[in-house]
Amino acid sequence: MDLPTDDTSPAPSPGRRRSKGGDTPEERLARVAAAAHWCISRFGFRRTQMADVAKKAGLSAAALYSYAANKDALLTLAALHAMGHPLPGADALPVAPWSIAKLRDMAEADVARIAHWPVIARVLKRRARPTRADLQAIAEEMYDLQSANRDGIWLMDRLSLEIPEIDRLWATKGHGATLKQLIALISKAPAPGIAVDVAARNAIEIMAWPSMHRHRDLWLRPDADEATIRKTATAQFVGAVAAAMSID
């Protein structure tokens, strides 16, 4: 799949020289990658322009081309940043874009890591009815994984709306797989009259804001510390799922 790109403007490599501000090319590239992730994960790939990323990174539009060959290269940098992969060195600048197939292969390996939930997998394998202690362990695992991987989750969520290959991956092995696991969990002992799929989706939403989205919320910045926020979120998750399963 070919994504729409800005025109590529040739630019000299920045080499290893420091800027007037004293930062190195590697440090500026890291700023570009973070800015690309910030813009693309919020506005989408199609709406993000090279000028948007340059402004966010504190560079001129012309200087940006010394670090990213074109708009597709910004997507590559955003993905590397989001998933915690090393960025290219100064001798590889400007960064060339990866193909969608290569990005998808990297994302598939990262999604397998993000969506690996050992606790819920063990509970699902047991024939016994889950306990509140089981639900608490699942909630803590979910909160911690989502919190630690929120940059990758934000980017995958946004790209799934624009890139079919990413959408299929995220639906089957990422977000969709999480929903499937929670549906299976609640289906082990659903309360009478409960819509299992709705209950599972609601449980995900209960956890999503405190573990991830509060970091981007412009309207509410909780005064509580991280431990208290985690405790609140997991307690609400356990309460919702326990009610859906009639667990005391």
Side-chain angles (χ1 to χ4, degrees), residues 160-238:
S160 68
L161 301 176
E162 299 183 283
I163 303 176
E165 294 89 339
I166 298 299
D167 182 40
R168 288 191 292 271
L169 171 63
W170 200 227
T172 56
K173 297 183 179 180
H175 190 74
T178 300
L179 179 60
K180 185 177 180 180
Q181 286 181 309
L182 287 175
I183 288 173
L185 176 71
I186 297 172
S187 295
K188 288 173 76 72
I194 287 293
V196 172
D197 53 351
V198 174
R201 190 70 177 86
N202 285 345
I204 290 175
E205 291 304 315
I206 287 171
M207 196 65 78
W209 187 87
S211 67
M212 298 186 297
H213 302 321
R214 67 180 168 90
H215 296 281
R216 288 183 163 185
D217 197 322
L218 298 178
W219 301 101
L220 176 62
R221 296 294 175 91
D223 293 328
D225 60 22
E226 177 63 25
T228 303
I229 293 171
R230 181 177 183 268
K231 181 179 179 180
T232 302
T234 56
Q236 290 182 316
F237 176 93
V238 170

Side-chain angles (χ1 to χ4, degrees), residues 19-74:
S19 70
K20 293 180 180 179
D23 54 349
T24 65
E26 291 86 355
E27 290 167 341
R28 294 194 292 277
L29 181 63
R31 292 210 314 269
V32 169
H37 173 267
W38 192 96
C39 292
I40 294 172
S41 65
R42 282 168 173 78
F43 310 129
F45 179 77
R46 291 188 179 92
R47 288 181 57 195
T48 295
Q49 301 300 318
M50 296 286 283
D52 299 327
V53 176
K55 182 178 180 180
K56 184 67 178 174
L59 298 172
S60 69
L64 181 61
Y65 283 101
S66 295
Y67 297 91
N70 54 22
K71 184 174 166 180
D72 286 0
L74 291 179

Side-chain angles (χ1 to χ4, degrees), residues 55-221:
K55 182 178 180 180
K56 184 67 178 174
L59 298 172
S60 69
L64 181 61
Y65 283 101
S66 295
Y67 297 91
N70 54 22
K71 184 174 166 180
D72 286 0
L74 291 179
L75 178 58
T76 298
L77 288 170
L80 291 171
H81 170 84
M83 300 300 183
H85 293 289
L87 298 177
D91 56 349
L93 300 180
V95 172
W98 289 7
S99 68
I100 288 297
K102 185 175 180 180
L103 282 171
R104 187 205 174 280
D105 288 346
M106 181 187 76
E108 184 170 15
D110 290 320
V111 167
R113 170 178 51 82
I114 293 173
H116 178 58
W117 294 19
V119 174
I120 195 170
R122 287 197 299 270
V123 173
L124 288 174
K125 285 181 180 179
R126 293 203 321 251
R127 300 185 66 177
R129 180 189 185 93
T131 65
R132 289 188 76 94
D134 291 329
L135 299 185
Q136 181 65 33
I138 290 169
E140 291 172 357
E141 176 178 68
M142 185 176 190
Y143 184 97
D144 293 343
L145 284 171
Q146 289 185 342
S147 180
N149 295 288
R150 60 182 179 268
D151 282 344
I153 293 171
W154 283 332
L155 187 64
M156 292 294 291
D157 272 345
R158 198 62 183 80
L159 293 180
S160 68
L161 301 176
E162 299 183 283
I163 303 176
E165 294 89 339
I166 298 299
D167 182 40
R168 288 191 292 271
L169 171 63
W170 200 227
T172 56
K173 297 183 179 180
H175 190 74
T178 300
L179 179 60
K180 185 177 180 180
Q181 286 181 309
L182 287 175
I183 288 173
L185 176 71
I186 297 172
S187 295
K188 288 173 76 72
I194 287 293
V196 172
D197 53 351
V198 174
R201 190 70 177 86
N202 285 345
I204 290 175
E205 291 304 315
I206 287 171
M207 196 65 78
W209 187 87
S211 67
M212 298 186 297
H213 302 321
R214 67 180 168 90
H215 296 281
R216 288 183 163 185
D217 197 322
L218 298 178
W219 301 101
L220 176 62
R221 296 294 175 91

